[in-house]
Amino acid sequence: MNIVACIKQVPDTAAKLQVVDSHVTWGDSPLIVNPWDEYAYEEALLLKEKFGGKAIALSMGSETAIEALKTCLAVGCDEAYLISDPALTGSDASATAYTLASAIKKLGDVDLVLMGRQAVDGDTGLTAAMLGRHLGWTVLTQVIKVAEIDPTAKTIKVERFMEEGRQVCSAKLPVVVSVIKGINEPRYPSFMGIRKASKMTIPQWGIADLGIEACKVGKAGAFVVWPEIYPMPVKETKVELIEGASPQDIAAKLADKLIAEKVL
Amino acid sequence: MTNKVWVYLDQFKGEATPSTWEVLTAAKQLTKELGGGITALVLGCEIGEIVQQAFEFGADEAVVCDDASLKDFRLEPYSAVFTKVVGEAKPEIVLAIAGTRTRDLFSYASVDLQTGVIVDATELAIKDGAVVVTRPVYAGKLLCNELCPKARPQLITVRVRAFAPPQAEAGKSGIVTKVSPVLSEDSLSTKVLDYVVEEGQVSLDGAAIVVAGGRGVNGPEGFEPIRQLAKVLGGAVGASRAAVDAGWIPYPHQVGQTGKVVSPDLYIACGISGAVQHQAGMRTSKLIIAINKDKDAPIFNLAKYGVVGDLFEVVPALTEEFKRRLGK
Ligand SMILES: Cc1cc2nc3c(=O)[nH]c(=O)nc-3n(C[C@H](O)[C@H](O)[C@H](O)COP(=O)(O)OP(=O)(O)OC[C@H]3O[C@@H](n4cnc5c(N)ncnc54)[C@H](O)[C@@H]3O)c2cc1C
Ligand SMILES: Nc1ncnc2c1ncn2[C@@H]1O[C@H](COP(=O)(O)O)[C@@H](O)[C@H]1O
């Protein structure tokens, strides 16, 4: 059973962001594997260890994303592919999903695609369902447990984390699954793993390799545009510290404030 | 069905999800500028009551597909009806409340409708006939104005509690158009087998009050005073990742970048330092109170009121105080 994990490279979640003319920079903060995608590659590795086949990491991004893919190889993925092309700049979720779908079709024999719940830069969480639709596969988002896979019957049973609780559902492979925290504990790359990864080649595909027309991706193909990005306006609240002779005294003063604020 | 502004009403087991009506407030804001009425799209099984409520909350007409194949939300059958109806009526905008189902539905359907999706709007404005959506990005550290300039409909979800709930007008009715399902049960590969719902707790989603505990609660039993205060205030219990990772409280309670994003009227952070990743989930709360031993904890930069002290003294005292004042 071959499994693809889709990995995005993003700025570190603790990075101090700067915005100049709606262009976001993060100084010398490192670029990392999108935190949610660590759960995707870990699940790919666990399932491959159980069922055999290959775990393949796939990323669309600039050449820097090679580092993110090396991390995937270092933890044990068998292959990694980078989709990189100047024409992809400005892609929205729709264009990204279309591009990833084209790459997955090119890879061919794949039964399961794992994604993170969302990328922590754009914070949209749209790509999984769009990708599934492009491939014509079933989509199961917010998966917190892969309960069962039957490789011969080609079925999967999962638990999904919904607003109302856990949903248990089954579907036929192939499927696109997006995963959340709690599904596993992502492993760290070992020294040996890092050494091995550094010797592996990561094939790079441009849009021509995927048979994609330039007008369908990047700025030209994106449906959604984001002309303005700016810092969240800082609320002018200076904390008012509540002090008192005893916890009861403090509680009484705080209760007065809350009642005056009409939040109760 | 010629209205420009549509709302898709999210439901679970035949009941509208608590925040869903907020989309009608957002929709009314848009029709004020764009003109026309509001069409509500309701898909599900035994959803007659939602249709009636939709009119009372401000919809002028409703397009309804009530069928057993739509009992549980599944992408294939929902998206098939959605794309058919919306593709034919060609509204300018379809709004829905942000959530797992609506995000999946809009993104899946957008491929067939050849349009874009914008999620988690906190504000909407109209510019040159298109909706400009303001939404938080980069874990709420930045804001972004997004639009879908060249394709229609604009599929937009609005964040829970970003718009006020609308006033109901009892007895108001409207025009209902019934549509048939597109896919039959035997063509569907996904089966929903079971639901495991956490009982007896106020859900974080849409909660007006959240009392949250962090590493400072120092163990699973440390959540007891937090729960008590939440109970007296009628609020939900939240937690930092440190508390969840330590196994003191299950993941559904985690607030933050890799947990839930909440926007309550009141957020009480107890023994939480206020790391940026935690802030990502609660920064937009209307009033934040911090209780922490360390006067330099970053959470005090977000809080309007703060107590520098031991949560094990302050939280129970608050519980007692509110019990008395709220007459419980
Ligand atoms: C990729 C990534 C994603 C993350 N996602 C999340 C997320 O979704 N949510 C999240 O919360 N974190 C997240 N984190 C973790 C985050 O960085 C912090 O580590 C975490 O929020 C810290 O939790 P805390 O405030 O409870 O613990 P600490 O930072 O250890 O703070 C504990 C606080 O309790 C106070 N305290 C101790 N005892 C008492 C007492 N008796 N009374 C009063 N105060 C007391 C201390 O002064 C201290 O300020 C993420 C991190 C990463 C790298
Ligand atoms: N450029 C990309 N390359 C590879 N995977 C991606 C890319 N963008 C998004 N994804 C995948 O889609 C998931 C959801 O991303 P998003 O829809 O952008 O929030 C991520 O967690 C990744 O698994």
Side-chain angles (χ1 to χ4, degrees), chain A residues 6-8 34 37 58 60 96 115-116 118-119 124-127:
Chain A
C6 293
I7 302 299
K8 188 176 185 187
N34 177 39
D37 301 351
L58 176 65
M60 168 182 138
T96 304
M115 334 259 292
Q118 68 189 54
T124 66
L126 295 170
T127 310

Side-chain angles (χ1 to χ4, degrees), chain B residues 65-147:
Chain B
C65 185
D66 198 328
D67 188 79
S69 65
L70 302 176
K71 186 161 169 284
D72 284 297
F73 178 85
R74 286 175 297 175
L75 267 178
E76 293 93 338
Y78 269 71
S79 180
V81 182
F82 185 89
T83 44
K84 181 163 188 285
V85 172
V86 170
E88 283 170 8
K90 297 191 173 53
E92 282 286 300
I93 299 148
V94 188
L95 294 176
I97 197 74
T100 304
R101 286 178 288 267
T102 54
R103 189 181 52 219
D104 286 359
L105 176 64
F106 278 16
S107 44
Y108 198 81
S110 75
V111 175
D112 298 75
L113 293 169
Q114 284 291 297
T115 189
V117 184
I118 304 178
V119 291
D120 290 334
T122 52
E123 279 173 56
L124 302 172
I126 304 238
K127 204 173 147 194
D128 307 327
V131 184
V132 181
V133 174
T134 302
R135 58 182 297 266
V137 292
Y138 288 89
K141 286 181 248 177
L142 307 177
L143 285 178
C144 186
N145 291 347
E146 295 188 2
L147 57 170

Side-chain angles (χ1 to χ4, degrees), chain B residues 28-48:
Chain B
K28 279 179 214 161
Q29 185 201 319
L30 298 181
T31 51
K32 244 183 234 152
E33 284 188 58
L34 296 173
I38 300 168
T39 301
L41 177 56
V42 196
L43 311 182
C45 181
E46 296 177 13
I47 45 179

Side-chain angles (χ1 to χ4, degrees), chain A residues 113-143:
Chain A
V113 173
L114 292 160
M115 334 259 292
R117 176 205 140 109
Q118 68 189 54
V120 298
D121 47 4
D123 278 336
T124 66
L126 295 170
T127 310
M130 290 175 173
L131 173 69
R133 187 61 187 152
H134 276 297
L135 293 171
W137 298 6
T138 298
V139 178
L140 301 168
T141 58
Q142 303 263 118
V143 168

